[in-house]
Amino acid sequence: MQFFGGSEISPSPPVPTASGNNAHMMYVFNRNGVCLLYREWNRPLRTLNPQQDHKLMFGLLFSLKSLTAKMDPTTADRGNLGVPQLPGQGCSFHSFRTNTYKLTFMETPSGLKIILVTHPRTGDLRESLNHIYNLYVDYVVKNPLYSPGTPIR
Amino acid sequence: MAAIYSLYIINKSGGLIFYKDYGSAGRMDTNDSLRVASLWHSMHAISQQLSPVSGCSGIELLQADSFDLHCFQSLTGTKFFVVCEPGTQHMEGLLKFIYELYTDYVLKNPFYEMEMPIRCELFDINLTQAVQKDRNPSSSIWWVVGSPYCASAQDGADSDEDDHQQSRKHGRKELRN
């Protein structure tokens, strides 16, 4: 009786081919939790309406960040759980993986959060997020008609 | 060198039933470990809701700046998660092995009450062995899935423990036949 053989309990979906689109969706939040940009490419499952979905995503990231700040095993002074922290303060995280998707997260010093949701087998996407941030700086922040805190158009 | 920083086991309703620290800087106090465990339970549940594809079973690996968190959820909803150094390999195997230890020494203990904190001596002994094995690089992969019980000769320092090992092996054989 081989209970834990080669097969996984929760098999992940098949690996897409190189030509396929790996990205599911992308979010950009500002420091106040306003969703500046939302794009989706491949999202078969939708359980919530967009507003609730954005709120839940922001809440998940916020809480995961306070969790990692509290759990950080390399420092002794970690503060209290749930106390809001400035961007760059405390231990943050850069990605997590489930059996159906992988979420990569970046927070800039100004508190902008960029989130990419992709296939679980994709590699390290921090470079891509940096590239997206550069695009944001070049084409959004430098746009004189853009007023900060409003959705990007 | 501590490859593994700490281990948590939480029951299906998010209560911490086991917490062991293996040398992280500044041990977490009891209240904080309970809070962190239940926070992880909720984050795990929310991550399932946000999945773009159906059939999501929650976070398996969280990569933070200074540690990795590997989580394994059993079919009954008990979650095992281990905090380790970034890039540590074979943690899924270790978690599954800890799950086996849990079924063997906790669930089969007649004095154990379900969903309550784990206080089982045999579980502690075997868990310590498993984690120490993991820290010793020469034998670090002895519990990798598929070869859970490597027959490598143990230093027979403690004959009692050897007996445990033997009986476990026999029990396993009977189970397989």
Coordinates of all heavy atoms in Angstrom, one line a residue, chain B residues 71-125:
Chain B
C71 N 4.0 24.4 2.9 CA 2.8 23.9 3.6 C 2.2 22.7 3.0 O 2.2 22.5 1.8 CB 1.7 25.0 3.6 SG 0.2 24.6 4.4
F72 N 1.8 21.8 3.8 CA 1.1 20.5 3.3 C -0.2 20.4 4.0 O -0.2 20.4 5.3 CB 2.0 19.3 3.6 CG 1.4 18.0 3.4 CD1 1.0 17.6 2.1 CD2 1.1 17.2 4.4 CE1 0.4 16.4 1.9 CE2 0.4 16.0 4.3 CZ 0.1 15.6 3.0
Q73 N -1.3 20.2 3.3 CA -2.6 20.0 3.9 C -3.0 18.6 3.7 O -3.0 18.1 2.5 CB -3.6 21.0 3.3 CG -4.9 20.9 4.0 CD -5.9 21.9 3.4 OE1 -5.8 22.3 2.3 NE2 -6.9 22.2 4.2
S74 N -3.3 17.9 4.7 CA -3.8 16.5 4.6 C -5.2 16.5 4.2 O -5.9 17.6 4.2 CB -3.6 15.8 5.9 OG -4.6 16.2 6.8
L75 N -5.7 15.4 3.8 CA -7.1 15.3 3.3 C -8.1 15.6 4.3 O -9.2 16.0 4.0 CB -7.4 13.8 2.8 CG -6.6 13.5 1.5 CD1 -6.8 12.0 1.2 CD2 -7.0 14.3 0.3
T76 N -7.8 15.5 5.6 CA -8.7 15.9 6.7 C -8.6 17.3 7.1 O -9.4 17.7 7.9 CB -8.4 15.0 7.9 OG1 -7.0 15.0 8.2 CG2 -8.9 13.6 7.7
G77 N -7.8 18.1 6.4 CA -7.7 19.5 6.7 C -6.6 19.9 7.7 O -6.5 21.1 7.9
T78 N -5.9 19.0 8.3 CA -4.8 19.3 9.1 C -3.7 19.9 8.3 O -3.4 19.3 7.2 CB -4.3 18.1 9.9 OG1 -5.4 17.4 10.5 CG2 -3.4 18.5 11.0
K79 N -3.1 21.0 8.7 CA -2.1 21.6 7.9 C -0.7 21.5 8.6 O -0.7 21.8 9.8 CB -2.4 23.1 7.6 CG -3.4 23.3 6.5 CD -3.5 24.7 6.1 CE -4.6 25.4 6.8 NZ -6.0 24.9 6.5
F80 N 0.3 21.2 7.9 CA 1.6 21.1 8.4 C 2.4 22.1 7.7 O 2.4 22.1 6.5 CB 2.2 19.7 8.1 CG 1.5 18.5 8.8 CD1 0.3 18.1 8.2 CD2 2.0 17.9 9.9 CE1 -0.4 17.1 8.8 CE2 1.3 16.9 10.5 CZ 0.1 16.4 9.9
F81 N 3.1 23.0 8.4 CA 4.0 23.9 7.6 C 5.3 24.1 8.3 O 5.4 24.2 9.6 CB 3.3 25.2 7.2 CG 2.7 26.1 8.2 CD1 3.4 27.2 8.7 CD2 1.5 25.8 8.8 CE1 2.9 28.0 9.6 CE2 1.0 26.7 9.7 CZ 1.7 27.8 10.2
V82 N 6.3 24.3 7.5 CA 7.6 24.3 8.0 C 8.3 25.6 7.4 O 8.1 26.0 6.3 CB 8.4 23.1 7.6 CG1 8.6 23.0 6.1 CG2 9.7 22.9 8.3
V83 N 9.0 26.3 8.3 CA 9.7 27.5 7.9 C 11.2 27.2 7.8 O 11.8 26.6 8.7 CB 9.5 28.6 9.0 CG1 10.3 29.9 8.6 CG2 8.1 29.0 9.1
C84 N 11.8 27.4 6.6 CA 13.1 27.0 6.4 C 13.9 28.1 5.6 O 13.3 29.1 5.2 CB 13.2 25.7 5.6 SG 12.4 25.8 4.1
E85 N 15.2 27.8 5.5 CA 16.0 28.8 4.7 C 15.6 28.9 3.3 O 15.1 27.9 2.7 CB 17.5 28.3 4.8 CG 18.1 28.7 6.1 CD 19.6 28.2 6.1 OE1 20.0 27.4 5.3 OE2 20.3 28.7 6.9
P86 N 15.7 30.0 2.6 CA 15.3 30.1 1.2 C 16.1 29.1 0.4 O 17.3 28.9 0.5 CB 15.8 31.5 0.8 CG 15.9 32.3 2.1 CD 16.3 31.3 3.1
G87 N 15.3 28.4 -0.5 CA 15.9 27.5 -1.4 C 16.2 26.1 -0.9 O 16.8 25.3 -1.5
T88 N 15.7 25.8 0.3 CA 15.9 24.4 0.9 C 15.0 23.4 0.1 O 13.9 23.7 -0.3 CB 15.4 24.4 2.4 OG1 15.9 25.5 3.0 CG2 15.9 23.1 3.0
Q89 N 15.7 22.3 -0.2 CA 15.0 21.3 -1.1 C 14.4 20.2 -0.3 O 14.6 20.1 0.9 CB 16.1 20.6 -2.0 CG 16.8 21.6 -2.9 CD 15.9 22.2 -4.0 OE1 15.2 21.4 -4.7 NE2 15.9 23.5 -4.1
H90 N 13.5 19.4 -0.9 CA 12.9 18.2 -0.4 C 12.0 18.5 0.8 O 11.8 17.6 1.6 CB 14.0 17.2 0.1 CG 15.0 16.9 -0.9 ND1 14.7 16.5 -2.2 CD2 16.4 17.1 -0.9 CE1 15.8 16.3 -2.9 NE2 16.8 16.7 -2.1
M91 N 11.4 19.7 0.9 CA 10.6 19.9 2.1 C 9.2 19.2 2.0 O 8.7 18.9 3.0 CB 10.4 21.4 2.2 CG 11.5 22.1 2.9 SD 11.9 21.6 4.5 CE 13.5 21.0 4.3
E92 N 8.8 19.0 0.7 CA 7.5 18.3 0.6 C 7.7 16.9 1.2 O 6.8 16.4 1.8 CB 7.1 18.2 -0.9 CG 6.7 19.5 -1.5 CD 7.9 20.3 -2.0 OE1 9.0 19.8 -1.9 OE2 7.7 21.5 -2.3
G93 N 8.8 16.3 0.9 CA 9.0 14.9 1.4 C 9.1 14.9 2.9 O 8.5 14.0 3.5
L94 N 9.7 15.9 3.5 CA 9.8 16.0 4.9 C 8.4 16.2 5.5 O 8.0 15.5 6.5 CB 10.7 17.1 5.4 CG 10.8 17.4 6.9 CD1 11.5 16.2 7.6 CD2 11.5 18.7 7.2
L95 N 7.6 17.0 4.9 CA 6.3 17.3 5.4 C 5.4 16.0 5.4 O 4.7 15.7 6.3 CB 5.6 18.4 4.7 CG 6.1 19.8 5.0 CD1 5.5 20.8 4.1 CD2 5.8 20.2 6.4
K96 N 5.5 15.3 4.3 CA 4.8 14.0 4.2 C 5.3 13.0 5.2 O 4.5 12.2 5.7 CB 4.8 13.5 2.7 CG 3.9 14.3 1.8 CD 4.0 13.9 0.4 CE 3.1 14.8 -0.4 NZ 3.3 14.6 -1.8
F97 N 6.6 13.0 5.4 CA 7.1 12.1 6.4 C 6.6 12.5 7.8 O 6.2 11.6 8.6 CB 8.6 12.1 6.4 CG 9.2 11.1 7.3 CD1 9.1 9.8 7.1 CD2 9.9 11.6 8.5 CE1 9.6 8.9 8.0 CE2 10.4 10.6 9.4 CZ 10.3 9.3 9.1
I98 N 6.5 13.8 8.1 CA 6.0 14.2 9.4 C 4.5 13.8 9.5 O 4.1 13.5 10.6 CB 6.2 15.7 9.5 CG1 7.7 16.1 9.7 CG2 5.5 16.3 10.8 CD1 8.0 17.5 9.6
Y99 N 3.8 13.9 8.4 CA 2.4 13.5 8.4 C 2.3 12.0 8.7 O 1.4 11.6 9.5 CB 1.8 13.8 7.0 CG 0.4 13.3 6.9 CD1 -0.6 13.6 7.8 CD2 0.0 12.6 5.8 CE1 -1.9 13.2 7.7 CE2 -1.3 12.2 5.6 CZ -2.3 12.5 6.6 OH -3.6 12.1 6.4
E100 N 3.2 11.2 8.2 CA 3.2 9.8 8.6 C 3.5 9.6 10.0 O 2.8 8.8 10.7 CB 4.2 9.0 7.7 CG 3.8 8.7 6.3 CD 4.7 7.8 5.6 OE1 4.9 6.7 6.2 OE2 5.3 8.1 4.6
L101 N 4.4 10.3 10.5 CA 4.7 10.3 12.0 C 3.5 10.6 12.8 O 3.2 10.0 13.8 CB 5.9 11.2 12.4 CG 7.3 10.8 11.8 CD1 8.3 11.8 12.3 CD2 7.7 9.4 12.3
Y102 N 2.8 11.7 12.3 CA 1.6 12.1 13.0 C 0.5 11.0 13.0 O -0.1 10.7 14.0 CB 1.1 13.4 12.3 CG -0.3 13.9 12.7 CD1 -0.5 14.5 13.8 CD2 -1.4 13.7 11.8 CE1 -1.8 15.0 14.2 CE2 -2.6 14.1 12.1 CZ -2.8 14.8 13.3 OH -4.1 15.2 13.6
T103 N 0.3 10.4 11.9 CA -0.7 9.3 11.8 C -0.3 8.2 12.7 O -1.1 7.5 13.4 CB -0.9 8.8 10.4 OG1 0.3 8.5 9.8 CG2 -1.6 9.8 9.6
D104 N 1.0 7.9 12.7 CA 1.5 6.7 13.5 C 1.5 6.9 15.0 O 1.0 6.1 15.7 CB 2.9 6.3 13.0 CG 2.9 5.5 11.8 OD1 1.8 5.1 11.4 OD2 4.0 5.2 11.2
Y105 N 2.0 8.1 15.4 CA 2.3 8.3 16.8 C 1.3 9.2 17.5 O 1.2 9.2 18.7 CB 3.7 8.8 17.0 CG 4.7 7.8 16.6 CD1 5.6 8.1 15.5 CD2 4.8 6.6 17.3 CE1 6.5 7.2 15.2 CE2 5.8 5.7 16.9 CZ 6.6 6.0 15.8 OH 7.6 5.1 15.4
V106 N 0.5 9.9 16.8 CA -0.5 10.8 17.4 C -1.9 10.2 17.3 O -2.6 10.0 18.2 CB -0.4 12.2 16.8 CG1 -1.5 13.1 17.5 CG2 1.0 12.8 17.0
L107 N -2.3 9.9 16.0 CA -3.6 9.5 15.8 C -3.8 8.1 16.4 O -4.9 7.7 16.8 CB -4.0 9.4 14.3 CG -4.0 10.8 13.6 CD1 -4.4 10.7 12.2 CD2 -4.9 11.8 14.4
K108 N -2.8 7.3 16.4 CA -2.9 5.9 17.0 C -2.7 5.9 18.5 O -2.7 4.8 19.1 CB -1.9 5.0 16.3 CG -2.3 4.7 14.8 CD -1.3 3.8 14.1 CE -1.6 3.8 12.6 NZ -0.5 3.1 11.9
N109 N -2.4 7.0 19.1 CA -2.3 7.1 20.5 C -3.7 7.2 21.1 O -4.5 8.1 20.9 CB -1.5 8.4 20.8 CG -1.2 8.5 22.3 OD1 -1.9 7.9 23.2 ND2 -0.2 9.3 22.7
P110 N -4.0 6.2 22.0 CA -5.4 6.1 22.5 C -5.7 7.3 23.4 O -6.9 7.5 23.7 CB -5.4 4.8 23.2 CG -4.0 4.4 23.5 CD -3.2 5.0 22.4
F111 N -4.7 7.9 24.0 CA -5.0 9.0 24.9 C -5.0 10.4 24.2 O -5.2 11.4 24.8 CB -3.9 9.1 26.0 CG -3.8 7.8 26.8 CD1 -2.7 6.9 26.6 CD2 -4.8 7.5 27.6 CE1 -2.7 5.8 27.3 CE2 -4.8 6.3 28.4 CZ -3.7 5.5 28.2
Y112 N -4.9 10.4 22.9 CA -4.9 11.7 22.2 C -6.3 12.0 21.8 O -7.1 11.2 21.3 CB -4.1 11.6 20.9 CG -4.1 12.8 20.1 CD1 -3.6 14.0 20.6 CD2 -4.8 12.9 18.9 CE1 -3.7 15.2 19.8 CE2 -4.9 14.0 18.1 CZ -4.3 15.2 18.6 OH -4.4 16.3 17.9
E113 N -6.7 13.3 22.1 CA -8.0 13.8 21.8 C -7.9 14.5 20.5 O -7.0 15.4 20.4 CB -8.6 14.7 22.8 CG -9.3 14.0 23.9 CD -9.9 15.0 24.9 OE1 -10.9 15.7 24.6 OE2 -9.3 15.2 26.0
M114 N -8.8 14.3 19.5 CA -8.7 14.9 18.2 C -8.7 16.4 18.4 O -9.4 16.9 19.2 CB -9.8 14.5 17.3 CG -9.7 13.1 16.8 SD -8.2 12.9 15.8 CE -8.6 13.9 14.3
E115 N -8.0 17.1 17.5 CA -8.0 18.6 17.4 C -7.4 19.3 18.6 O -7.5 20.5 18.8 CB -9.4 19.2 17.1 CG -10.3 18.4 16.1 CD -9.7 18.4 14.7 OE1 -8.9 19.3 14.4 OE2 -10.1 17.5 14.0
M116 N -6.8 18.5 19.5 CA -6.2 19.1 20.7 C -4.7 19.1 20.6 O -4.1 18.4 19.7 CB -6.6 18.3 22.0 CG -8.1 18.3 22.3 SD -8.7 20.0 22.5 CE -8.3 20.2 24.2
P117 N -4.0 20.0 21.4 CA -2.6 20.1 21.3 C -1.9 18.7 21.4 O -2.4 17.9 22.2 CB -2.2 21.0 22.4 CG -3.4 21.9 22.6 CD -4.6 21.0 22.3
I118 N -0.8 18.5 20.7 CA -0.2 17.2 20.6 C 0.8 17.1 21.7 O 1.7 17.9 21.8 CB 0.5 17.0 19.3 CG1 -0.5 17.0 18.1 CG2 1.3 15.7 19.3 CD1 0.1 17.1 16.8
R119 N 0.6 16.1 22.6 CA 1.6 15.8 23.6 C 1.9 14.3 23.6 O 1.3 13.6 24.4 CB 1.1 16.3 25.0 CG 1.3 17.8 25.2 CD 1.2 18.2 26.7 NE 0.8 19.6 26.7 CZ -0.5 20.0 26.6 NH1 -1.4 19.2 26.5 NH2 -0.7 21.3 26.7
C120 N 2.7 13.9 22.7 CA 3.0 12.5 22.6 C 4.6 12.4 22.5 O 5.2 12.9 21.6 CB 2.4 11.9 21.3 SG 0.7 12.1 21.2
E121 N 5.1 11.6 23.4 CA 6.5 11.5 23.6 C 7.1 10.8 22.3 O 8.1 11.3 21.8 CB 6.9 10.7 24.8 CG 8.3 10.8 25.3 CD 8.6 9.9 26.4 OE1 7.6 9.3 27.0 OE2 9.8 9.7 26.7
L122 N 6.5 9.8 21.8 CA 7.1 9.1 20.7 C 7.1 10.0 19.5 O 8.1 9.9 18.7 CB 6.2 7.8 20.4 CG 6.6 6.6 21.2 CD1 5.6 5.4 20.8 CD2 8.0 6.2 21.0
F123 N 6.1 10.8 19.3 CA 6.1 11.7 18.2 C 7.2 12.7 18.3 O 7.9 12.9 17.3 CB 4.7 12.4 18.2 CG 4.6 13.4 17.1 CD1 4.5 13.0 15.7 CD2 4.6 14.8 17.3 CE1 4.4 13.9 14.7 CE2 4.4 15.7 16.3 CZ 4.3 15.3 15.0
D124 N 7.4 13.2 19.5 CA 8.5 14.1 19.7 C 9.9 13.5 19.3 O 10.7 14.1 18.6 CB 8.6 14.6 21.1 CG 7.4 15.6 21.4 OD1 6.9 16.1 20.5 OD2 7.1 15.8 22.6
I125 N 10.1 12.3 19.8 CA 11.4 11.6 19.6 C 11.6 11.4 18.1 O 12.7 11.8 17.6 CB 11.4 10.2 20.3 CG1 11.4 10.4 21.8 CG2 12.6 9.4 19.9 CD1 11.2 9.2 22.6

